[in-house]
Amino acid sequence: MKTLVTGSSGLLGSALKKEIGEEYPNGNNFYHVKTQNKTGKVNLADYNQTLSFINQVSDLGCDTIIHCAAKVGGVKANMENNELFFEENYKINKNILEAAYEYKIKNFVSILSTCVFPDKEVKYPLTANQIENGAPHPSNYGYSYAKRLLGYETSMYRRLTGLNWISVIPTNVYGEEDNFHLENSHLIPGLIHKAYLAKRDNTDFIVWGDGTPLRQFIYSEDLAKLILWALENWKSDIPFMAVNPLEYSVKDIALIIAKHLDISEERIKFDSTKPSGQFKKTASTDAPVDFKFTLIEEGIKKTIDWFISNYETARK
């Protein structure tokens, strides 16, 4: 296979690059990093540029696309920019799908999110056949609906062409190369950055919400391995659930981070005036029964160590 990974400078894209190997022309794979790639510049929100780009990599032998590129953010960013999150993600997804269809790319993986599931009218654990049971949580309507459409269209193209096009739904992803912005990041990287500053400045470690919401987390390198497994083994137009079944509260995560940074529990303060987000979205897993997930303590330690070592250049 010659593989294109869109969004390869991000959290998941970086993990996939480690798993897949060297990039073209020294290796077999093409990596799209924001607007710069090995074949020139491309803006995935522009259809003509995207079509031309896929034409180029197809001519060079690309037969596989793993589509990770997306506009992402945490609870605050989504609540404040629902329309923007929908518009930008819809454009990116629509363009890459249509271009891949035009050039009959054999293998295509769309990366979704558990946010596609309804806020209500679901049974836990979440399963892929419940997506259409209702509306997603209002805190991230825009991103959620864009991802739902990505999943629907991937399935339709699969049925239309008979090609190996699949969708993958991961739980909360974390790891090296994440976005550690204090307001616009996801839970674990945001808490790591806050805890780092609290340790550095000898201040309290402030956590948004009351600490009770429950989440499942998957280390980025585990997710990369599962995506590649699904690419070879998943033979359904129903999304593949890439889920580490273990569940942790926000407080659990804060305590793990504080421990690794040597912050006492007394210095962890929960700000219940801030939104906590959806209480739970426990999901089922389609991972092979013998798959070995990275322990949360180990994954968080690796992420913290990477963040500290790359503090000056990390996204924040």
Side-chain angles (χ1 to χ4, degrees), residues 97-144:
L97 284 169
E98 290 191 3
Y101 171 70
E102 177 72 21
Y103 291 101
K104 299 298 183 288
I105 298 299
K106 178 181 178 181
N107 307 298
F108 193 100
V109 182
S110 293
I111 307 301
L112 311 184
S113 165
T114 51
C115 72
V116 300
F117 286 102
D119 178 33
K120 302 173 182 177
E121 305 303 326
V122 293
K123 296 180 180 179
Y124 293 106
L126 298 171
T127 51
N129 61 0
Q130 298 187 68
I131 294 174
E132 297 184 29
N133 286 4
H137 193 271
S139 64
N140 55 4
Y141 266 173
Y143 184 77
S144 301

mmCIF file of all heavy atoms in Angstrom, residues 97-144:
data_model
loop_
_atom_site.group_PDB
_atom_site.id
_atom_site.type_symbol
_atom_site.label_atom_id
_atom_site.label_comp_id
_atom_site.label_asym_id
_atom_site.label_seq_id
_atom_site.Cartn_x
_atom_site.Cartn_y
_atom_site.Cartn_z
ATOM 1 N N LEU A 97 -13.617 13.236 0.246
ATOM 2 C CA LEU A 97 -14.418 12.086 -0.173
ATOM 3 C C LEU A 97 -14.682 12.114 -1.683
ATOM 4 O O LEU A 97 -14.512 11.095 -2.370
ATOM 5 C CB LEU A 97 -15.750 12.062 0.579
ATOM 6 C CG LEU A 97 -15.733 11.597 2.030
ATOM 7 C CD1 LEU A 97 -17.079 11.900 2.674
ATOM 8 C CD2 LEU A 97 -15.433 10.111 2.122
ATOM 9 N N GLU A 98 -15.099 13.255 -2.188
ATOM 10 C CA GLU A 98 -15.417 13.335 -3.610
ATOM 11 C C GLU A 98 -14.175 13.145 -4.467
ATOM 12 O O GLU A 98 -14.227 12.480 -5.514
ATOM 13 C CB GLU A 98 -16.086 14.680 -3.921
ATOM 14 C CG GLU A 98 -17.491 14.803 -3.361
ATOM 15 C CD GLU A 98 -18.238 16.009 -3.891
ATOM 16 O OE1 GLU A 98 -17.673 16.734 -4.752
ATOM 17 O OE2 GLU A 98 -19.384 16.229 -3.473
ATOM 18 N N ALA A 99 -13.057 13.698 -4.021
ATOM 19 C CA ALA A 99 -11.818 13.531 -4.785
ATOM 20 C C ALA A 99 -11.357 12.080 -4.769
ATOM 21 O O ALA A 99 -10.908 11.541 -5.795
ATOM 22 C CB ALA A 99 -10.735 14.441 -4.215
ATOM 23 N N ALA A 100 -11.454 11.422 -3.604
ATOM 24 C CA ALA A 100 -11.069 10.015 -3.513
ATOM 25 C C ALA A 100 -11.983 9.142 -4.366
ATOM 26 O O ALA A 100 -11.529 8.170 -4.989
ATOM 27 C CB ALA A 100 -11.106 9.562 -2.056
ATOM 28 N N TYR A 101 -13.263 9.484 -4.417
ATOM 29 C CA TYR A 101 -14.208 8.751 -5.267
ATOM 30 C C TYR A 101 -13.876 8.956 -6.744
ATOM 31 O O TYR A 101 -13.904 8.007 -7.541
ATOM 32 C CB TYR A 101 -15.632 9.210 -4.968
ATOM 33 C CG TYR A 101 -16.652 8.682 -5.940
ATOM 34 C CD1 TYR A 101 -17.006 7.337 -5.955
ATOM 35 C CD2 TYR A 101 -17.253 9.541 -6.867
ATOM 36 C CE1 TYR A 101 -17.939 6.849 -6.857
ATOM 37 C CE2 TYR A 101 -18.188 9.061 -7.768
ATOM 38 C CZ TYR A 101 -18.530 7.715 -7.761
ATOM 39 O OH TYR A 101 -19.443 7.242 -8.664
ATOM 40 N N GLU A 102 -13.567 10.179 -7.099
ATOM 41 C CA GLU A 102 -13.243 10.498 -8.493
ATOM 42 C C GLU A 102 -12.073 9.653 -9.000
ATOM 43 O O GLU A 102 -12.086 9.186 -10.135
ATOM 44 C CB GLU A 102 -12.903 11.990 -8.619
ATOM 45 C CG GLU A 102 -12.486 12.428 -9.996
ATOM 46 C CD GLU A 102 -13.640 12.461 -10.992
ATOM 47 O OE1 GLU A 102 -14.808 12.531 -10.556
ATOM 48 O OE2 GLU A 102 -13.368 12.410 -12.202
ATOM 49 N N TYR A 103 -11.079 9.433 -8.146
ATOM 50 C CA TYR A 103 -9.888 8.692 -8.569
ATOM 51 C C TYR A 103 -9.872 7.261 -8.045
ATOM 52 O O TYR A 103 -8.832 6.606 -8.061
ATOM 53 C CB TYR A 103 -8.626 9.469 -8.168
ATOM 54 C CG TYR A 103 -8.502 10.734 -8.985
ATOM 55 C CD1 TYR A 103 -8.868 11.965 -8.445
ATOM 56 C CD2 TYR A 103 -8.095 10.672 -10.309
ATOM 57 C CE1 TYR A 103 -8.805 13.121 -9.214
ATOM 58 C CE2 TYR A 103 -8.026 11.824 -11.077
ATOM 59 C CZ TYR A 103 -8.378 13.046 -10.534
ATOM 60 O OH TYR A 103 -8.327 14.174 -11.306
ATOM 61 N N LYS A 104 -11.038 6.786 -7.603
ATOM 62 C CA LYS A 104 -11.239 5.382 -7.232
ATOM 63 C C LYS A 104 -10.146 4.875 -6.284
ATOM 64 O O LYS A 104 -9.536 3.826 -6.503
ATOM 65 C CB LYS A 104 -11.297 4.509 -8.488
ATOM 66 C CG LYS A 104 -12.444 4.848 -9.438
ATOM 67 C CD LYS A 104 -13.795 4.628 -8.764
ATOM 68 C CE LYS A 104 -14.969 4.901 -9.716
ATOM 69 N NZ LYS A 104 -15.167 6.331 -10.010
ATOM 70 N N ILE A 105 -9.912 5.637 -5.209
ATOM 71 C CA ILE A 105 -8.952 5.199 -4.188
ATOM 72 C C ILE A 105 -9.493 3.926 -3.539
ATOM 73 O O ILE A 105 -10.617 3.893 -3.035
ATOM 74 C CB ILE A 105 -8.743 6.303 -3.141
ATOM 75 C CG1 ILE A 105 -8.159 7.561 -3.793
ATOM 76 C CG2 ILE A 105 -7.825 5.806 -2.025
ATOM 77 C CD1 ILE A 105 -6.817 7.387 -4.459
ATOM 78 N N LYS A 106 -8.696 2.868 -3.546
ATOM 79 C CA LYS A 106 -9.166 1.542 -3.134
ATOM 80 C C LYS A 106 -9.545 1.481 -1.662
ATOM 81 O O LYS A 106 -10.575 0.895 -1.290
ATOM 82 C CB LYS A 106 -8.074 0.510 -3.428
ATOM 83 C CG LYS A 106 -8.433 -0.904 -3.007
ATOM 84 C CD LYS A 106 -7.295 -1.870 -3.308
ATOM 85 C CE LYS A 106 -7.633 -3.284 -2.843
ATOM 86 N NZ LYS A 106 -6.510 -4.224 -3.109
ATOM 87 N N ASN A 107 -8.709 2.052 -0.787
ATOM 88 C CA ASN A 107 -8.921 1.981 0.663
ATOM 89 C C ASN A 107 -9.081 3.386 1.221
ATOM 90 O O ASN A 107 -8.251 4.261 0.941
ATOM 91 C CB ASN A 107 -7.730 1.303 1.353
ATOM 92 C CG ASN A 107 -7.386 -0.043 0.750
ATOM 93 O OD1 ASN A 107 -8.187 -0.968 0.760
ATOM 94 N ND2 ASN A 107 -6.181 -0.150 0.189
ATOM 95 N N PHE A 108 -10.114 3.590 2.027
ATOM 96 C CA PHE A 108 -10.355 4.908 2.615
ATOM 97 C C PHE A 108 -10.864 4.710 4.036
ATOM 98 O O PHE A 108 -11.787 3.924 4.276
ATOM 99 C CB PHE A 108 -11.390 5.687 1.800
ATOM 100 C CG PHE A 108 -11.486 7.141 2.141
ATOM 101 C CD1 PHE A 108 -10.873 8.095 1.352
ATOM 102 C CD2 PHE A 108 -12.193 7.562 3.256
ATOM 103 C CE1 PHE A 108 -10.960 9.452 1.670
ATOM 104 C CE2 PHE A 108 -12.289 8.908 3.585
ATOM 105 C CZ PHE A 108 -11.672 9.854 2.784
ATOM 106 N N VAL A 109 -10.251 5.434 4.980
ATOM 107 C CA VAL A 109 -10.680 5.365 6.385
ATOM 108 C C VAL A 109 -11.099 6.753 6.833
ATOM 109 O O VAL A 109 -10.301 7.697 6.799
ATOM 110 C CB VAL A 109 -9.560 4.843 7.306
ATOM 111 C CG1 VAL A 109 -10.074 4.740 8.751
ATOM 112 C CG2 VAL A 109 -9.049 3.490 6.832
ATOM 113 N N SER A 110 -12.342 6.889 7.268
ATOM 114 C CA SER A 110 -12.839 8.136 7.842
ATOM 115 C C SER A 110 -12.790 8.033 9.365
ATOM 116 O O SER A 110 -13.305 7.063 9.932
ATOM 117 C CB SER A 110 -14.280 8.402 7.402
ATOM 118 O OG SER A 110 -14.332 8.668 6.023
ATOM 119 N N ILE A 111 -12.208 9.021 10.007
ATOM 120 C CA ILE A 111 -12.122 9.038 11.468
ATOM 121 C C ILE A 111 -13.272 9.874 12.015
ATOM 122 O O ILE A 111 -13.358 11.088 11.770
ATOM 123 C CB ILE A 111 -10.771 9.599 11.956
ATOM 124 C CG1 ILE A 111 -9.608 8.856 11.284
ATOM 125 C CG2 ILE A 111 -10.690 9.492 13.472
ATOM 126 C CD1 ILE A 111 -9.583 7.367 11.539
ATOM 127 N N LEU A 112 -14.161 9.240 12.761
ATOM 128 C CA LEU A 112 -15.299 9.921 13.373
ATOM 129 C C LEU A 112 -14.997 10.206 14.846
ATOM 130 O O LEU A 112 -13.857 10.396 15.216
ATOM 131 C CB LEU A 112 -16.562 9.067 13.215
ATOM 132 C CG LEU A 112 -16.860 8.520 11.820
ATOM 133 C CD1 LEU A 112 -18.195 7.786 11.814
ATOM 134 C CD2 LEU A 112 -16.856 9.609 10.775
ATOM 135 N N SER A 113 -16.020 10.226 15.684
ATOM 136 C CA SER A 113 -15.861 10.508 17.111
ATOM 137 C C SER A 113 -17.109 10.025 17.839
ATOM 138 O O SER A 113 -18.196 9.966 17.242
ATOM 139 C CB SER A 113 -15.678 12.016 17.337
ATOM 140 O OG SER A 113 -15.871 12.360 18.698
ATOM 141 N N THR A 114 -16.988 9.698 19.104
ATOM 142 C CA THR A 114 -18.170 9.294 19.870
ATOM 143 C C THR A 114 -19.152 10.446 20.045
ATOM 144 O O THR A 114 -20.295 10.217 20.467
ATOM 145 C CB THR A 114 -17.790 8.738 21.253
ATOM 146 O OG1 THR A 114 -16.922 9.667 21.918
ATOM 147 C CG2 THR A 114 -17.107 7.388 21.143
ATOM 148 N N CYS A 115 -18.747 11.669 19.706
ATOM 149 C CA CYS A 115 -19.692 12.789 19.784
ATOM 150 C C CYS A 115 -20.809 12.655 18.757
ATOM 151 O O CYS A 115 -21.808 13.368 18.833
ATOM 152 C CB CYS A 115 -18.971 14.121 19.625
ATOM 153 S SG CYS A 115 -18.381 14.444 17.952
ATOM 154 N N VAL A 116 -20.677 11.743 17.793
ATOM 155 C CA VAL A 116 -21.750 11.556 16.806
ATOM 156 C C VAL A 116 -22.979 10.910 17.441
ATOM 157 O O VAL A 116 -24.075 10.970 16.875
ATOM 158 C CB VAL A 116 -21.289 10.691 15.609
ATOM 159 C CG1 VAL A 116 -20.125 11.336 14.902
ATOM 160 C CG2 VAL A 116 -20.973 9.266 16.023
ATOM 161 N N PHE A 117 -22.837 10.308 18.603
ATOM 162 C CA PHE A 117 -23.958 9.621 19.232
ATOM 163 C C PHE A 117 -24.946 10.609 19.845
ATOM 164 O O PHE A 117 -24.570 11.725 20.234
ATOM 165 C CB PHE A 117 -23.456 8.666 20.315
ATOM 166 C CG PHE A 117 -22.812 7.424 19.759
ATOM 167 C CD1 PHE A 117 -21.440 7.297 19.733
ATOM 168 C CD2 PHE A 117 -23.585 6.392 19.249
ATOM 169 C CE1 PHE A 117 -20.833 6.166 19.218
ATOM 170 C CE2 PHE A 117 -22.996 5.252 18.731
ATOM 171 C CZ PHE A 117 -21.622 5.136 18.707
ATOM 172 N N PRO A 118 -26.216 10.216 19.952
ATOM 173 C CA PRO A 118 -27.215 11.088 20.579
ATOM 174 C C PRO A 118 -26.901 11.371 22.041
ATOM 175 O O PRO A 118 -26.283 10.543 22.729
ATOM 176 C CB PRO A 118 -28.513 10.279 20.446
ATOM 177 C CG PRO A 118 -28.266 9.305 19.357
ATOM 178 C CD PRO A 118 -26.807 8.979 19.430
ATOM 179 N N ASP A 119 -27.332 12.531 22.482
ATOM 180 C CA ASP A 119 -27.196 12.888 23.896
ATOM 181 C C ASP A 119 -28.180 12.087 24.738
ATOM 182 O O ASP A 119 -27.902 11.731 25.884
ATOM 183 C CB ASP A 119 -27.447 14.386 24.049
ATOM 184 C CG ASP A 119 -27.383 14.852 25.496
ATOM 185 O OD1 ASP A 119 -26.592 14.281 26.264
ATOM 186 O OD2 ASP A 119 -28.129 15.784 25.848
ATOM 187 N N LYS A 120 -29.362 11.764 24.156
ATOM 188 C CA LYS A 120 -30.410 11.032 24.854
ATOM 189 C C LYS A 120 -30.888 9.887 23.966
ATOM 190 O O LYS A 120 -30.419 9.718 22.842
ATOM 191 C CB LYS A 120 -31.569 11.966 25.206
ATOM 192 C CG LYS A 120 -31.144 13.149 26.081
ATOM 193 C CD LYS A 120 -32.277 14.141 26.275
ATOM 194 C CE LYS A 120 -31.818 15.335 27.108
ATOM 195 N NZ LYS A 120 -32.898 16.358 27.262
ATOM 196 N N GLU A 121 -31.818 9.104 24.476
ATOM 197 C CA GLU A 121 -32.402 7.999 23.711
ATOM 198 C C GLU A 121 -31.360 6.987 23.250
ATOM 199 O O GLU A 121 -31.393 6.495 22.115
ATOM 200 C CB GLU A 121 -33.174 8.530 22.498
ATOM 201 C CG GLU A 121 -34.238 9.559 22.824
ATOM 202 C CD GLU A 121 -35.286 9.049 23.815
ATOM 203 O OE1 GLU A 121 -35.607 7.851 23.768
ATOM 204 O OE2 GLU A 121 -35.764 9.854 24.631
ATOM 205 N N VAL A 122 -30.386 6.700 24.119
ATOM 206 C CA VAL A 122 -29.384 5.686 23.809
ATOM 207 C C VAL A 122 -29.306 4.691 24.955
ATOM 208 O O VAL A 122 -29.732 4.966 26.084
ATOM 209 C CB VAL A 122 -27.984 6.297 23.571
ATOM 210 C CG1 VAL A 122 -27.963 7.126 22.314
ATOM 211 C CG2 VAL A 122 -27.531 7.122 24.779
ATOM 212 N N LYS A 123 -28.772 3.530 24.658
ATOM 213 C CA LYS A 123 -28.507 2.519 25.672
ATOM 214 C C LYS A 123 -26.999 2.315 25.764
ATOM 215 O O LYS A 123 -26.317 2.268 24.746
ATOM 216 C CB LYS A 123 -29.191 1.197 25.310
ATOM 217 C CG LYS A 123 -30.710 1.274 25.291
ATOM 218 C CD LYS A 123 -31.323 -0.073 24.917
ATOM 219 C CE LYS A 123 -32.849 0.007 24.891
ATOM 220 N NZ LYS A 123 -33.466 -1.298 24.495
ATOM 221 N N TYR A 124 -26.514 2.204 26.998
ATOM 222 C CA TYR A 124 -25.080 2.016 27.188
ATOM 223 C C TYR A 124 -24.759 0.544 27.378
ATOM 224 O O TYR A 124 -25.531 -0.181 28.004
ATOM 225 C CB TYR A 124 -24.608 2.823 28.396
ATOM 226 C CG TYR A 124 -24.707 4.319 28.186
ATOM 227 C CD1 TYR A 124 -25.710 5.065 28.817
ATOM 228 C CD2 TYR A 124 -23.820 4.979 27.347
ATOM 229 C CE1 TYR A 124 -25.820 6.437 28.608
ATOM 230 C CE2 TYR A 124 -23.922 6.342 27.142
ATOM 231 C CZ TYR A 124 -24.919 7.069 27.770
ATOM 232 O OH TYR A 124 -25.017 8.412 27.558
ATOM 233 N N PRO A 125 -23.623 0.101 26.799
ATOM 234 C CA PRO A 125 -22.661 0.903 26.051
ATOM 235 C C PRO A 125 -23.160 1.261 24.656
ATOM 236 O O PRO A 125 -23.974 0.539 24.067
ATOM 237 C CB PRO A 125 -21.441 -0.021 25.968
ATOM 238 C CG PRO A 125 -22.008 -1.395 25.994
ATOM 239 C CD PRO A 125 -23.190 -1.320 26.920
ATOM 240 N N LEU A 126 -22.666 2.389 24.152
ATOM 241 C CA LEU A 126 -23.048 2.857 22.828
ATOM 242 C C LEU A 126 -22.588 1.863 21.763
ATOM 243 O O LEU A 126 -21.490 1.323 21.832
ATOM 244 C CB LEU A 126 -22.413 4.219 22.553
ATOM 245 C CG LEU A 126 -22.819 5.362 23.487
ATOM 246 C CD1 LEU A 126 -21.944 6.574 23.226
ATOM 247 C CD2 LEU A 126 -24.295 5.703 23.318
ATOM 248 N N THR A 127 -23.438 1.645 20.789
ATOM 249 C CA THR A 127 -23.109 0.803 19.644
ATOM 250 C C THR A 127 -23.396 1.582 18.370
ATOM 251 O O THR A 127 -24.223 2.502 18.365
ATOM 252 C CB THR A 127 -23.929 -0.496 19.659
ATOM 253 O OG1 THR A 127 -25.318 -0.167 19.819
ATOM 254 C CG2 THR A 127 -23.499 -1.414 20.803
ATOM 255 N N ALA A 128 -22.735 1.213 17.293
ATOM 256 C CA ALA A 128 -22.796 2.002 16.064
ATOM 257 C C ALA A 128 -24.198 2.115 15.485
ATOM 258 O O ALA A 128 -24.497 3.070 14.760
ATOM 259 C CB ALA A 128 -21.833 1.423 15.033
ATOM 260 N N ASN A 129 -25.079 1.175 15.803
ATOM 261 C CA ASN A 129 -26.433 1.232 15.247
ATOM 262 C C ASN A 129 -27.355 2.192 15.999
ATOM 263 O O ASN A 129 -28.542 2.266 15.706
ATOM 264 C CB ASN A 129 -27.048 -0.169 15.212
ATOM 265 C CG ASN A 129 -27.172 -0.803 16.588
ATOM 266 O OD1 ASN A 129 -26.806 -0.203 17.597
ATOM 267 N ND2 ASN A 129 -27.674 -2.019 16.630
ATOM 268 N N GLN A 130 -26.823 2.952 16.966
ATOM 269 C CA GLN A 130 -27.647 3.906 17.715
ATOM 270 C C GLN A 130 -27.445 5.361 17.278
ATOM 271 O O GLN A 130 -28.080 6.260 17.832
ATOM 272 C CB GLN A 130 -27.340 3.804 19.214
ATOM 273 C CG GLN A 130 -27.647 2.454 19.838
ATOM 274 C CD GLN A 130 -27.487 2.483 21.345
ATOM 275 O OE1 GLN A 130 -28.252 3.140 22.055
ATOM 276 N NE2 GLN A 130 -26.481 1.782 21.849
ATOM 277 N N ILE A 131 -26.581 5.583 16.300
ATOM 278 C CA ILE A 131 -26.217 6.946 15.929
ATOM 279 C C ILE A 131 -27.426 7.784 15.534
ATOM 280 O O ILE A 131 -27.511 8.976 15.857
ATOM 281 C CB ILE A 131 -25.168 6.937 14.796
ATOM 282 C CG1 ILE A 131 -23.855 6.338 15.309
ATOM 283 C CG2 ILE A 131 -24.932 8.348 14.258
ATOM 284 C CD1 ILE A 131 -22.805 6.157 14.226
ATOM 285 N N GLU A 132 -28.397 7.187 14.874
ATOM 286 C CA GLU A 132 -29.533 7.951 14.360
ATOM 287 C C GLU A 132 -30.690 8.046 15.343
ATOM 288 O O GLU A 132 -31.782 8.506 14.971
ATOM 289 C CB GLU A 132 -30.008 7.325 13.047
ATOM 290 C CG GLU A 132 -28.964 7.363 11.951
ATOM 291 C CD GLU A 132 -29.493 6.831 10.637
ATOM 292 O OE1 GLU A 132 -30.698 6.939 10.397
ATOM 293 O OE2 GLU A 132 -28.694 6.304 9.853
ATOM 294 N N ASN A 133 -30.484 7.677 16.594
ATOM 295 C CA ASN A 133 -31.579 7.678 17.567
ATOM 296 C C ASN A 133 -31.968 9.069 18.075
ATOM 297 O O ASN A 133 -32.978 9.218 18.756
ATOM 298 C CB ASN A 133 -31.219 6.801 18.768
ATOM 299 C CG ASN A 133 -31.284 5.321 18.436
ATOM 300 O OD1 ASN A 133 -31.519 4.942 17.303
ATOM 301 N ND2 ASN A 133 -31.055 4.477 19.428
ATOM 302 N N GLY A 134 -31.160 10.069 17.788
ATOM 303 C CA GLY A 134 -31.477 11.408 18.268
ATOM 304 C C GLY A 134 -30.351 12.378 18.008
ATOM 305 O O GLY A 134 -29.346 12.051 17.364
ATOM 306 N N ALA A 135 -30.508 13.594 18.525
ATOM 307 C CA ALA A 135 -29.529 14.656 18.314
ATOM 308 C C ALA A 135 -28.332 14.488 19.243
ATOM 309 O O ALA A 135 -28.463 13.982 20.361
ATOM 310 C CB ALA A 135 -30.178 16.011 18.558
ATOM 311 N N PRO A 136 -27.143 14.922 18.813
ATOM 312 C CA PRO A 136 -25.978 14.878 19.695
ATOM 313 C C PRO A 136 -26.080 15.934 20.789
ATOM 314 O O PRO A 136 -26.999 16.761 20.805
ATOM 315 C CB PRO A 136 -24.815 15.169 18.753
ATOM 316 C CG PRO A 136 -25.417 15.974 17.651
ATOM 317 C CD PRO A 136 -26.812 15.460 17.481
ATOM 318 N N HIS A 137 -25.119 15.902 21.709
ATOM 319 C CA HIS A 137 -25.102 16.885 22.793
ATOM 320 C C HIS A 137 -24.967 18.286 22.211
ATOM 321 O O HIS A 137 -24.156 18.526 21.308
ATOM 322 C CB HIS A 137 -23.941 16.584 23.751
ATOM 323 C CG HIS A 137 -24.015 17.332 25.036
ATOM 324 N ND1 HIS A 137 -23.455 18.580 25.208
ATOM 325 C CD2 HIS A 137 -24.583 17.011 26.229
ATOM 326 C CE1 HIS A 137 -23.675 18.994 26.437
ATOM 327 N NE2 HIS A 137 -24.358 18.067 27.083
ATOM 328 N N PRO A 138 -25.750 19.265 22.705
ATOM 329 C CA PRO A 138 -25.729 20.608 22.112
ATOM 330 C C PRO A 138 -24.398 21.332 22.223
ATOM 331 O O PRO A 138 -24.169 22.300 21.494
ATOM 332 C CB PRO A 138 -26.829 21.351 22.891
ATOM 333 C CG PRO A 138 -27.059 20.553 24.133
ATOM 334 C CD PRO A 138 -26.776 19.140 23.772
ATOM 335 N N SER A 139 -23.511 20.884 23.107
ATOM 336 C CA SER A 139 -22.227 21.568 23.271
ATOM 337 C C SER A 139 -21.353 21.458 22.027
ATOM 338 O O SER A 139 -20.449 22.279 21.830
ATOM 339 C CB SER A 139 -21.475 21.019 24.488
ATOM 340 O OG SER A 139 -21.137 19.651 24.300
ATOM 341 N N ASN A 140 -21.591 20.439 21.181
ATOM 342 C CA ASN A 140 -20.764 20.313 19.981
ATOM 343 C C ASN A 140 -21.582 19.865 18.765
ATOM 344 O O ASN A 140 -21.152 18.989 18.004
ATOM 345 C CB ASN A 140 -19.583 19.363 20.223
ATOM 346 C CG ASN A 140 -20.018 17.997 20.713
ATOM 347 O OD1 ASN A 140 -21.202 17.700 20.804
ATOM 348 N ND2 ASN A 140 -19.040 17.166 21.020
ATOM 349 N N TYR A 141 -22.732 20.497 18.577
ATOM 350 C CA TYR A 141 -23.601 20.192 17.428
ATOM 351 C C TYR A 141 -22.824 20.227 16.110
ATOM 352 O O TYR A 141 -22.932 19.324 15.273
ATOM 353 C CB TYR A 141 -24.729 21.217 17.339
ATOM 354 C CG TYR A 141 -26.018 20.823 18.023
ATOM 355 C CD1 TYR A 141 -27.069 21.734 18.129
ATOM 356 C CD2 TYR A 141 -26.204 19.552 18.547
ATOM 357 C CE1 TYR A 141 -28.259 21.400 18.754
ATOM 358 C CE2 TYR A 141 -27.392 19.206 19.173
ATOM 359 C CZ TYR A 141 -28.414 20.131 19.278
ATOM 360 O OH TYR A 141 -29.584 19.783 19.888
ATOM 361 N N GLY A 142 -22.102 21.311 15.881
ATOM 362 C CA GLY A 142 -21.452 21.524 14.593
ATOM 363 C C GLY A 142 -20.476 20.418 14.242
ATOM 364 O O GLY A 142 -20.568 19.802 13.164
ATOM 365 N N TYR A 143 -19.553 20.152 15.124
ATOM 366 C CA TYR A 143 -18.554 19.109 14.896
ATOM 367 C C TYR A 143 -19.220 17.744 14.774
ATOM 368 O O TYR A 143 -18.873 16.938 13.895
ATOM 369 C CB TYR A 143 -17.553 19.120 16.050
ATOM 370 C CG TYR A 143 -16.407 18.151 15.896
ATOM 371 C CD1 TYR A 143 -15.344 18.437 15.046
ATOM 372 C CD2 TYR A 143 -16.379 16.961 16.610
ATOM 373 C CE1 TYR A 143 -14.278 17.559 14.908
ATOM 374 C CE2 TYR A 143 -15.322 16.068 16.475
ATOM 375 C CZ TYR A 143 -14.281 16.372 15.629
ATOM 376 O OH TYR A 143 -13.230 15.490 15.494
ATOM 377 N N SER A 144 -20.202 17.479 15.638
ATOM 378 C CA SER A 144 -20.868 16.178 15.654
ATOM 379 C C SER A 144 -21.593 15.890 14.351
ATOM 380 O O SER A 144 -21.484 14.798 13.784
ATOM 381 C CB SER A 144 -21.862 16.111 16.817
ATOM 382 O OG SER A 144 -21.220 16.316 18.058
#
